[in-house]
Amino acid sequence: MATSLQLAMASSLAPSSSSSSPKRRSFKSFCSISSRNAATIPMPPLNPKDPFLSKLASVAAASPDPVLPRSSDSDTPPYLDLFDSPKLMATPAQVERSVSYNEHRPRKPPPDLPSLLLNGRIVYIGMPLVPAVTELVIAELLYLQWMDPKEPIYLYINSTGTTRDDGETVGMESEGFAIYDAMMQLKNEIQTVAVGAAIGQACLLLAAGKKGRRFMMPHAKAMIQQPRVPSSGLMPASDVLIRAKEVITNKDTLIKLLARHTRNSIETVSGVMKRPFYMDSARALEFGVIDKILWRGQEKIMADVASPEEWDRKAGIKVLDGM
């Protein structure tokens, strides 16, 4: 193909038999010198089995127009009008699109990322539980149940609950209870996974997964705390008291639900909730919030670890009675 292009350029630059002006002769002599110099430049090797070059050659051969047409203006040097003719550049570009782009280009715009996760039956809570998040999560749960009421649903949680990380209230406690009630009403098995943080109401959602299928990443955090009183602003004292009573009611409800799903007593949960109670993955497993830590290779590592009694026996330590 490169040889044909060189022949085309050589034939175009050949001197004409008719007389021409001195300006034209000087240009021809310049072109002849350039062609002689170009002939000494070695051409890079071409792969005859290259599919793109083969396709390009076939399209160029089938094109009714010449690959490099002569300029109709005698005052214009040959081939410099390529930039004025977009059709000339369309042949290789069209081949490139037909070979590598159109074959893999989607026929419609791709969906957003939550839709792709939803296709894998994954519901991801990555924001505080504000009304917009609650609406989307419940809608996704109901949709997945409608699609298949027997397949499990995977709920990934990375949320600070109804508060921000600094403790400021951003949503009512009913937002978390709404998602919890939807989870309890679904026919599907819901597997929960904590990634990052599960704080407050988000910790309740983590513990509300199916027993044996509640997971946590090794470096994730869980925390339970008392509900916060929303900003009262310029409310009268009577309205502030009503809000305080409602917060106490939500606190009692949260304690009962956490005690049910963690299998701890109400007194135990109420005692640790007096102050923010942070849990790493190991502590959350011990407290009953989760059932397993998603640590790749953990089962083999823990199976090779000896028991405390075995460590003491090998170390020659004798445990005294009553100690």
Side-chain angles (χ1 to χ4, degrees):
M1 181 179 178
T3 306
S4 62
L5 292 179
Q6 287 180 351
L7 292 177
M9 294 186 66
S11 62
S12 303
L13 297 177
S16 176
S17 58
S18 60
S19 61
S20 57
S21 60
K23 179 181 179 181
R24 186 66 175 177
R25 285 198 300 270
S26 63
F27 177 74
K28 287 183 178 180
S29 62
F30 172 77
C31 290
S32 62
I33 295 173
S34 300
S35 62
R36 288 196 301 269
N37 295 336
T40 61
I41 300 176
M43 292 295 296
L46 299 176
N47 182 12
K49 298 182 179 180
D50 192 337
F52 173 75
L53 294 179
S54 303
K55 185 71 174 178
L56 179 60
S58 61
V59 171
S63 176
D65 299 330
V67 179
L68 294 174
R70 292 290 302 274
S71 175
S72 58
D73 188 2
S74 59
D75 295 332
T76 304
Y79 312 116
L80 291 184
D81 58 338
L82 292 174
F83 305 100
D84 300 331
S85 178
K87 187 176 182 181
L88 295 173
M89 300 303 294
T91 300
Q94 182 179 2
V95 173
E96 174 65 23
R97 287 195 298 267
S98 63
V99 172
S100 62
Y101 183 69
N102 283 342
E103 293 178 357
H104 308 287
R105 182 175 58 180
R107 301 302 177 186
K108 58 183 180 179
D112 56 323
L113 189 56
S115 299
L116 294 176
L117 294 177
L118 192 64
N119 188 44
R121 304 189 66 82
I122 295 176
V123 177
Y124 177 58
I125 305 178
M127 295 179 63
L129 300 181
V130 296
V133 175
T134 303
E135 176 187 5
L136 178 61
V137 171
I138 294 178
E140 290 180 340
L141 293 175
L142 296 177
Y143 172 77
L144 291 176
Q145 178 187 238
W146 176 77
M147 288 294 294
D148 193 339
K150 297 182 180 180
E151 287 294 322
I153 299 174
Y154 308 96
L155 183 63
Y156 283 71
I157 302 172
N158 181 20
S159 173
T160 56
T162 56
T163 62
R164 297 193 311 189
D165 53 355
D166 57 358
E168 182 180 352
T169 302
V170 295
M172 298 180 62
E173 299 296 319
S174 57
E175 305 296 338
F177 293 145
I179 300 177
Y180 172 82
D181 290 338
M183 293 172 59
M184 296 297 103
Q185 294 298 322
L186 292 183
K187 301 177 182 179
N188 304 76
E189 169 188 311
I190 299 181
Q191 303 181 15
T192 55
V193 182
V195 289
I199 296 176
Q201 293 278 352
C203 186
L204 172 63
L205 301 181
L206 173 63
K210 181 176 177 57
K211 291 294 188 292
R213 309 300 296 177
R214 302 174 301 174
F215 307 102
M216 196 170 184
M217 294 296 180
H219 303 99
K221 295 290 184 179
M223 189 262 280
I224 55 178
Q225 61 182 354
Q226 299 185 36
R228 306 297 180 91
V229 179
S231 177
S232 57
L234 300 178
M235 289 184 178
S238 57
D239 293 354
V240 174
L241 180 60
I242 293 174
R243 283 203 170 191
K245 291 181 179 179
E246 180 64 21
V247 170
I248 293 176
T249 302
N250 292 334
K251 173 190 172 183
D252 295 339
T253 303
L254 182 61
I255 290 175
K256 292 178 182 178
L257 295 178
L258 283 173
R260 177 194 305 174
H261 291 286
T262 60
R263 297 182 179 179
N264 290 304
S265 63
I266 295 179
E267 292 76 13
T268 301
V269 178
S270 178
V272 298
M273 278 185 60
K274 290 181 179 179
R275 303 298 299 170
F277 181 61
Y278 284 91
M279 296 172 283
D280 57 6
S281 55
R283 197 170 187 181
L285 178 62
E286 179 183 357
F287 194 75
V289 176
I290 61 173
D291 304 303
K292 185 179 179 181
I293 303 173
L294 287 180
W295 183 14
R296 183 171 295 180
Q298 178 200 21
E299 292 81 3
K300 183 179 184 307
I301 295 176
M302 297 304 295
D304 297 339
V305 176
S307 63
E309 293 78 9
E310 186 69 15
W311 278 98
D312 294 343
R313 186 184 65 81
K314 291 182 179 182
I317 301 176
K318 296 182 179 180
V319 180
L320 299 178
D321 295 338
M323 294 295 295

